[in-house]
Amino acid sequence: MGTTHANQFIKEGAKVVIADLGTTNGEKAAETLGENAIFVELDVTDESSWKSLVEKTEDTFGPINILVNNAGIVASASIKETSYEDYKKTITVNQDGIFLGMKHVHPSLKKADKGSIVNISSISGIVGNPDNSAYVASKFAVRGLTKAAAAEFGADNIRVNSVHPGIIRTAMTEQEDVQEMVQAMVEMVPLKRLAEPEEITDLVVYLASDESSYSTGTEFIADGGLTQIR
Ligand SMILES: NC(=O)c1ccc[n+]([C@@H]2O[C@H](COP(=O)([O-])OP(=O)(O)OC[C@H]3O[C@@H](n4cnc5c(N)ncnc54)[C@H](O)[C@@H]3O)[C@@H](O)[C@H]2O)c1
């Protein structure tokens, strides 16, 4: 989804830094977007990595005014099946990564005088699920951290909201180990289908833009009705 978001931000006239682990195709994605996009290697769990991301971004484009915290991992397992090590791994990427991102990008957003942070949670941050306990814990934390940050950063003219996608067609939902859960969930979606990444992008761009100027600390759900209808 990050690549799809980056594409649309470029079309809207933004300058974009795609940040991801070095092992992904983020660098290729940035090259296809032209001179207004760069790739910077980032491990969201590593503080020094965030510091150098902010430095490189400011050197290239100036202060940051939008942060989309999108990195995430999923593992399909109940509490009984999850080792403490795997639990901590999910929490470290999905929860600590967002904390570190907001902490280290905040000074740059403040310099820009106006900012918007969009934290990607999930419907697993809205309702519980027996099959992916660590993921649910991490995505509820994203929702909570979003509200804490909105309260803290509001005085700096920085808005913070969370996005809660349902089931989206990406590498994550194509993982072998989540197929059973994904199929079962799609059957329960009132719209009876997965969403394409672009359907989440439109929401992310809206929250990043002035069109959402009075929204902060709020959950925005795009799940085909899955969490709203029984
Ligand atoms: N696909 C869905 O159905 C769905 C639903 C709800 C929420 N989400 C959330 O949307 C976001 C994007 O998911 P996606 O479906 O595009 O998944 P994806 O697996 O295609 O992309 C996730 C990206 O995060 C990166 N990443 C993982 N660990 C990282 C780390 N330590 N540092 C930096 N980058 C790291 C990966 O390299 C990858 O590029 C995630 O936060 C995910 O939890 C996805």
Side-chain angles (χ1 to χ4, degrees):
M1 267 189 270
T3 316
T4 316
H5 302 338
N7 260 309
Q8 190 58 30
F9 274 112
I10 289 285
K11 284 188 192 150
E12 300 273 344
K15 294 180 167 62
V16 172
V17 175
I18 296 180
D20 203 332
L21 299 170
T23 51
T24 65
N25 62 0
E27 192 154 18
K28 229 189 268 168
E31 276 166 20
T32 64
L33 292 177
E35 61 182 16
N36 285 334
I38 59 165
F39 173 76
V40 175
E41 198 171 322
L42 171 77
D43 177 349
V44 294
T45 68
D46 176 27
E47 284 205 89
S48 62
S49 189
W50 274 109
K51 285 179 193 161
S52 80
L53 172 95
V54 172
E55 231 175 79
K56 282 180 199 153
T57 305
E58 289 192 339
D59 286 351
T60 314
F61 295 135
I64 300 168
N65 41 31
I66 296 165
L67 168 65
V68 181
N69 273 318
N70 173 71
I73 55 172
V74 70
S76 181
S78 65
I79 293 173
K80 284 176 261 179
E81 295 163 331
T82 304
S83 68
Y84 187 33
E85 200 174 302
D86 285 348
Y87 175 81
K88 281 190 285 194
K89 190 176 167 200
T90 304
I91 297 293
T92 307
V93 176
N94 294 4
Q95 174 177 338
D96 301 2
I98 282 193
F99 166 77
L100 292 174
M102 293 199 293
K103 181 175 176 61
H104 291 292
V105 175
H106 172 259
S108 190
L109 293 165
K110 204 174 162 187
K111 266 188 238 167
D113 283 335
K114 180 167 81 174
S116 175
I117 300 176
V118 183
N119 289 328
I120 308 299
S121 176
S122 165
I123 48 169
S124 296
I126 301 290
V127 292
N129 178 332
D131 299 322
N132 55 357
S133 51
Y135 188 73
V136 168
S138 70
K139 293 299 188 179
F140 264 80
V142 172
R143 182 177 168 196
L145 273 169
T146 297
K147 291 180 188 300
E152 183 178 343
F153 299 163
D156 299 327
N157 202 21
I158 297 166
R159 298 181 297 108
V160 193
N161 292 288
S162 55
V163 167
H164 300 260
I167 311 155
I168 319 302
R169 196 188 313 278
T170 68
M172 186 177 273
T173 46
E174 275 162 11
Q175 262 179 231
E176 195 64 37
D177 65 326
V178 299
Q179 283 319 300
E180 209 173 304
M181 182 177 73
V182 166
Q183 287 318 316
M185 287 172 88
V186 169
E187 276 168 35
M188 292 190 288
V189 175
L191 291 182
K192 299 291 172 213
R193 64 172 179 87
L194 278 80
E196 299 303 325
E198 289 78 5
E199 297 179 85
I200 303 305
T201 295
D202 289 339
L203 183 52
V204 170
V205 171
Y206 165 74
L207 290 173
S209 80
D210 287 347
E211 284 173 29
S212 58
S213 57
Y214 204 51
S215 292
T216 194
T218 302
E219 300 87 353
F220 288 79
I221 301 172
D223 69 350
L226 180 58
T227 56
Q228 309 302 313
I229 293 167
R230 284 177 61 99

